Amino acid sequence: MKGPSMLKTHSSTPAAQPDVIVIGEALVDVVTSPEGTVEHPGGSPANVAYGLGRLGVSAALLTSIGDDDRGAAIAAHLASAGVELLPGSTSQGRTASATATLAADGSARYDFDIAWELPPVAPAFLPKVLHTGSIATFLAPGAAAVKALLEQSHRECMVTYDPNIRPALLGSQAEARSIFEDLVPLTDVVKLSDEDARWLYPDLELEATAARILELGAGLAVVTCGSEGSLLATPATRLQIPAITSVVADTIGAGDSYMAALIYGLLARGTDGLAPAVLETLGRMASKAAAITVRRPGANPPTADELLADLPEQASAPAAVVA
């Protein structure tokens, strides 16, 4: 796996450059439940950027939001966590939305109103980590621009990817899998949920899906399985991490919180690469971030202080399978 590169400076860039740049959609989650309707800033990439900011990571977002009240609410939300909105991210028009209807168990079903077109700009430098995913990597015309940015960047910095499959916005399963498999070789870390994995690869077990992602060129494949924990796999190691028991308010943003904490851990790791002990730390930290998030309504990820306090004891140690 490529290590984080030094920042590539540009004469017009500010002195303080973010360690992570996230590329992808930002939208408003309109959450409908028996208690009524409420709006939260959302969108998987925006949630990851916000989660990184909450963890104290210097982060920026390249996105496309409208010059309207919802766009202003998203910008203010990101700014509250110290996330920079990169130039070109705001344009005329309306901000996308996703209506999330909550079931009794807190799970959400989404209906989208979104057009995705990446602004005709690119970051003037490369960060330590470039993250993308979700609708932004599948929906034309913006998906082609995202792929082009990965092609330009993946040899120079770490790239993380969460497909966060939204079947209602995709074409055929075969077409979506083709897009996904074209992007994986441009990445270092791929995180997907068990639902994503089963939709993309209905004939494969989860471990076989992780193996397929590694075959395509990623150095780390992560499959989250909700209350069943998560699987972290490298070409040398497969590690099962138990979930952390949590009372669920809703599951909105849980996967994005996991992703943000995973990036946080990757940035903070020492020189041990992806040794089993490093994978265990990454998995436990990310699992705790998700557990904290589901206890709270909306995409409300933890701060670094919350994440680092009272991590689970080793009594529930995961079982490692070393190839």
Side-chain angles (χ1 to χ4, degrees):
M1 175 179 293
K2 303 183 291 292
S5 70
M6 296 299 290
L7 296 178
K8 299 263 181 142
T9 59
H10 185 283
S11 60
S12 63
T13 58
Q17 297 170 336
D19 286 335
V20 182
I21 289 179
V22 179
I23 301 173
E25 75 274 4
L27 48 78
V28 168
D29 283 324
V30 183
V31 183
T32 301
S33 70
E35 287 74 38
T37 298
V38 64
E39 294 191 0
H40 302 285
S44 176
N47 287 345
V48 172
Y50 180 77
L52 287 164
R54 292 269 290 174
L55 291 171
V57 175
S58 172
L61 176 67
L62 179 62
T63 188
S64 179
I65 57 175
D67 185 15
D68 56 12
D69 289 345
R70 283 177 166 174
I74 290 171
H77 174 70
L78 293 167
S80 73
V83 177
E84 177 188 359
L85 196 60
L86 290 181
S89 293
T90 302
S91 60
Q92 292 185 346
R94 67 181 182 181
T95 298
S97 65
T99 300
T101 303
L102 298 183
D105 63 358
S107 62
R109 176 181 60 81
Y110 292 89
D111 297 295
F112 293 90
D113 177 11
I114 182 171
W116 169 244
E117 185 168 359
L118 197 66
V121 296
F125 62 93
L126 289 179
K128 294 178 181 176
V129 177
L130 184 69
H131 174 75
T132 191
S134 195
I135 297 166
T137 59
F138 291 97
L139 190 62
V146 173
K147 183 180 180 183
L149 287 172
L150 296 191
E151 289 172 336
Q152 296 164 18
S153 308
H154 77 280
R155 291 185 178 89
E156 303 297 332
C157 69
M158 183 186 298
V159 176
T160 60
Y161 177 36
D162 177 3
N164 196 32
I165 297 295
R166 301 301 186 191
L169 291 174
L170 304 182
S172 69
Q173 184 269 352
E175 180 183 7
R177 185 168 63 193
S178 176
I179 292 170
F180 173 74
E181 293 200 339
D182 283 347
L183 287 180
V184 171
L186 307 177
T187 71
D188 297 287
V189 178
V190 177
K191 191 280 291 183
L192 68 170
S193 70
D194 54 344
E195 290 182 353
D196 296 337
R198 292 188 176 104
W199 193 87
L200 285 167
Y201 298 99
D203 299 326
L204 296 183
E205 297 296 328
L206 297 181
E207 286 202 6
T209 295
R212 173 61 179 162
I213 290 169
L214 297 175
E215 288 170 1
L216 288 167
L220 172 61
V222 180
V223 183
T224 60
C225 305
S227 61
E228 300 301 314
S230 54
L231 166 68
L232 284 77
T234 70
T237 306
R238 298 190 306 276
L239 194 67
Q240 294 283 349
I241 301 291
I244 297 172
T245 303
S246 183
V247 177
V248 177
D250 65 50
T251 61
I252 295 171
D256 302 324
S257 183
Y258 186 107
M259 187 73 241
L262 184 64
I263 295 171
Y264 173 80
L266 287 166
L267 286 168
R269 67 190 166 138
T271 58
D272 293 331
L274 292 174
V278 175
L279 291 181
E280 180 178 344
T281 298
L282 291 173
R284 286 184 175 276
M285 189 176 295
S287 294
K288 185 177 184 188
I292 293 170
T293 302
V294 300
R295 295 172 187 167
R296 313 195 283 217
N300 187 0
T303 64
D305 285 345
E306 290 174 320
L307 185 62
L308 298 177
D310 300 320
L311 283 173
E313 298 296 328
Q314 297 299 314
S316 57
V321 181
V322 180

